[in-house]
């Protein structure tokens, strides 16, 4: 016969009481509950405030960040876009790739890195032993700059809070910054990508590896060797940390 609700509750309470008294006997007099309760308000101001300690707000989920972005009109790129390219992949990814901004095909499909540069990125991922849906991929700007021009400072500034929130929500073990704009935006530095690449940095306490952008590699295949060195360092880091 199925248990009644009262019986189930009674057993759950008894089990909880047993666990708590066992903890108490071990000297635990305070429990730390991770702030993922949906009861707490979402952290708005400084998402980094909640990454380490206790606080009375929780990280937004990727869906909540996307919802806040809405039909964004925060910069001029809104006028020329077909679709917002928010990002895609595994919300629990250990590895996140950040590119520059959507191109034509990304704008049409609303997905990052689905054009020629994306196919090269997928081959790089494959060589690393990853499928696309095991990692998370997004861009500094979420709307296509006209004629694929570089994103401007005001456009990057308007979009950056969303990238920050995405990375705070994902909390990956490693971030790969693809190309100059991702690396310079995340590191708040103007150092050329040729000098940044191959060297570990940190973004909000998360190890960050800058490397060349796949679109650059399509024009300069000789750079692939460097990118592969950088990805080997990333793989080594992920393997070492999970030991
Ligand atoms: N280049 C980028 O930086 N991002 C994309 O999504 C596609 C091409
Ligand atoms: N210039 C860029 O913007 N990105 C690269 O990866 C290389 C050169």
């Amino acid at each position: 016969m199925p248990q009644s609700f009262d019986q189930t509750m009674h057993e759950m309470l008894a089990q909880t009481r047993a666990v708590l008294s066992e903890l108490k006997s071990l000297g635990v007099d305070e429990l730390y509950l991770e702030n993922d309760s949906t009861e707490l308000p979402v952290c708005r101001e400084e998402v980094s405030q909640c990454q380490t300690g206790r606080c009375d707000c929780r990280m937004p989920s990727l869906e909540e960040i996307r919802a806040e972005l809405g039909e964004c009109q925060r910069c001029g790129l809104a006028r020329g876009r077909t679709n917002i390219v928010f990002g895609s992949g595994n919300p629990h990814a250990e590895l996140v790739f950040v590119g520059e901004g959507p191109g034509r095909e990304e704008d049409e499909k609303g997905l990052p890195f689905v054009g020629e540069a994306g196919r090269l990125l997928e081959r790089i991922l494959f060589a690393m032993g990853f499928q696309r849906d095991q990692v998370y991929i997004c861009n500094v700007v979420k709307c296509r700059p006209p004629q694929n021009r570089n994103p401007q400072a005001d456009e990057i500034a308007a979009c950056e809070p969303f990238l920050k929130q995405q990375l705070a929500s994902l909390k990956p073990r490693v971030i790969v910054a693809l190309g100059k704009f991702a690396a310079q935006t995340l590191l708040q530095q103007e150092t050329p990508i040729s000098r940044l690449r191959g060297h570990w940095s940190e973004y909000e306490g998360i190890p960050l590896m800058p490397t060349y952008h796949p679109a650059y590699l399509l024009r300069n295949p000789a750079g692939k060797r460097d990118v592969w060195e950088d990805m080997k360092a990333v793989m080594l880091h992920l393997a070492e940390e999970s030991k």
Side-chain angles (χ1 to χ4, degrees):
M1 207 174 66
Q3 276 194 333
S4 72
F5 178 74
D6 279 357
Q7 275 174 321
T8 311
M9 282 306 283
H10 189 79
E11 278 177 22
M12 274 176 59
L13 279 173
Q15 281 172 13
T16 309
R17 196 173 288 124
V19 169
L20 289 175
S21 71
E22 162 118 39
L23 287 171
K24 196 173 179 188
S25 73
L26 293 170
V28 177
D29 56 9
E30 201 179 7
L31 286 180
Y32 173 61
L33 298 177
E34 221 187 301
N35 285 333
D36 58 3
S37 152
T38 43
E39 311 257 304
L40 290 173
V42 167
C43 302
R44 284 285 168 222
E45 295 302 304
E46 229 349 287
V47 280
S48 57
Q49 70 185 313
C50 253
Q51 277 172 309
T52 46
R54 299 165 184 215
C55 59
D56 49 14
C57 60
R58 67 179 170 86
M59 283 307 150
S61 67
L62 291 172
E63 290 81 13
E64 285 168 332
I65 300 163
R66 178 65 189 85
E68 197 197 330
L69 187 59
E71 275 306 299
C72 187
Q73 304 289 329
R74 292 169 181 82
C75 83
L77 294 182
R79 281 193 296 279
R81 73 159 182 251
T82 314
N83 286 297
I84 293 179
V85 180
F86 180 67
S88 74
N90 186 340
H92 305 291
E94 298 195 326
L95 183 56
V96 172
F97 290 81
V98 181
E100 177 177 325
R104 185 179 55 80
E105 287 168 89
E106 289 78 18
D107 175 64
E108 279 169 11
K109 299 207 170 81
L111 291 167
F113 283 99
V114 288
E116 210 189 341
R119 286 187 283 279
L120 176 53
L121 178 60
E122 265 180 29
R123 290 200 292 278
I124 294 169
L125 283 174
F126 180 76
M128 296 173 78
F130 286 111
Q131 309 264 341
R132 211 187 149 98
D133 60 7
Q134 291 177 293
V135 303
Y136 191 84
I137 306 175
C138 60
N139 286 302
V140 171
V141 294
K142 313 295 191 225
C143 296
R144 183 192 183 198
Q147 278 81 47
N148 296 348
R149 67 154 167 75
N150 292 336
Q152 293 166 359
D154 60 319
E155 296 157 354
I156 294 176
C159 225
E160 205 182 341
F162 295 94
L163 175 62
K164 281 190 165 203
Q165 289 190 50
Q166 280 174 301
L167 294 172
S169 174
L170 286 157
K171 294 197 212 76
R173 283 172 50 205
V174 173
I175 299 170
V176 172
L178 296 168
K180 166 181 156 171
F181 283 91
Q184 292 185 348
T185 302
L186 291 171
L187 297 176
Q188 299 285 304
Q189 280 188 30
E190 307 233 321
T191 313
I193 184 69
S194 55
R195 291 209 2 239
L196 290 173
R197 71 141 282 274
H199 301 283
W200 286 107
S201 290
E202 266 194 14
Y203 171 82
E204 302 281 355
I206 303 170
L208 181 143
M209 175 59 77
T211 198
Y212 290 132
H213 193 288
Y216 168 81
L217 297 182
L218 293 171
R219 300 188 302 271
N220 302 275
K224 286 182 188 175
R225 206 176 266 270
D226 287 336
V227 170
W228 187 236
E229 286 304 313
D230 303 345
M231 294 308 100
K232 281 196 290 190
V234 166
M235 284 147 60
L236 195 63
H237 184 92
L238 288 171
E240 275 179 354
E241 259 206 13
S242 58
K243 263 187 209 155

